[in-house]
Amino acid sequence: MLNGPLPPQVDPRKLAERQAVLDYCVAFADLPRFASALLEQEGRVRMQLSFARDEGKTLILRSLLSTQAVLRCQRCLEPVTLDLQSQCSYALLPAGADRSGVSAQHELLELGESLALAELIEDELLLALPLVPAHKTHHCQIPAWNSQEAARESKPNPFSVLAQLRQDNSAETDITN
Ligand SMILES: [Zn+2]
């Protein structure tokens, strides 16, 4: 396993020829777009990226990413640490190639001279972030005042309703007198 940033550009043909597996541990600092989406910018992402050709000779890149990220819980607004995993397979096809034979399980990418690997993997990490990060319900720190306030607003106090009725009655009595 290599510690350090991913090479920004790689030659996917060469890597597929030798069925390379890139095994990296990348600091969040080397993934600035991903890091800026997190509450804490300290951490690392474990990545395994394997290059190969399938039976149809299509160049396939398989990614396996895993990390722990601290985000803000959208329920209680406290930090929440989430395990993030992402697995994806990409089919790299030359421009204008027939795509009909490629299995739908692959994301399609255009195969050029080189592949912007770091950018691709950072995009995948961003997509792996939950849209609405939150604690599991029993771990969530919903502030007490918040739930009390909500209860008060949703249910009118029975005594104030009674008092209101009394006032209305006495007003009518006043008019008839
Ligand atoms: Zn929470």
Side-chain angles (χ1 to χ4, degrees), residues 76-155:
C76 69
L77 303 180
E78 293 294 320
V80 54
T81 304
L82 297 173
D83 287 324
L84 296 182
Q85 312 276 347
S86 178
Q87 243 180 307
C88 201
S89 68
Y90 303 91
L92 288 84
L93 297 170
D98 177 22
R99 299 170 168 214
S100 57
V102 179
S103 154
Q105 68 181 16
H106 304 301
E107 298 274 336
L108 297 179
L109 291 178
E110 197 177 299
L111 176 63
E113 288 303 304
S114 66
L115 171 68
L117 185 64
E119 204 182 307
L120 177 72
I121 297 306
E122 205 170 5
D123 284 344
E124 185 181 327
L125 278 169
L126 284 165
L127 285 173
L129 290 173
L131 285 178
V132 183
H135 292 106
K136 295 208 168 75
T137 322
H138 54 285
H139 289 143
C140 201
Q141 311 288 318
I142 298 171
W145 61 266
N146 204 357
S147 45
Q148 278 172 10
E149 201 74 60
R152 212 177 293 150
E153 273 175 14
S154 62
K155 241 192 276 171

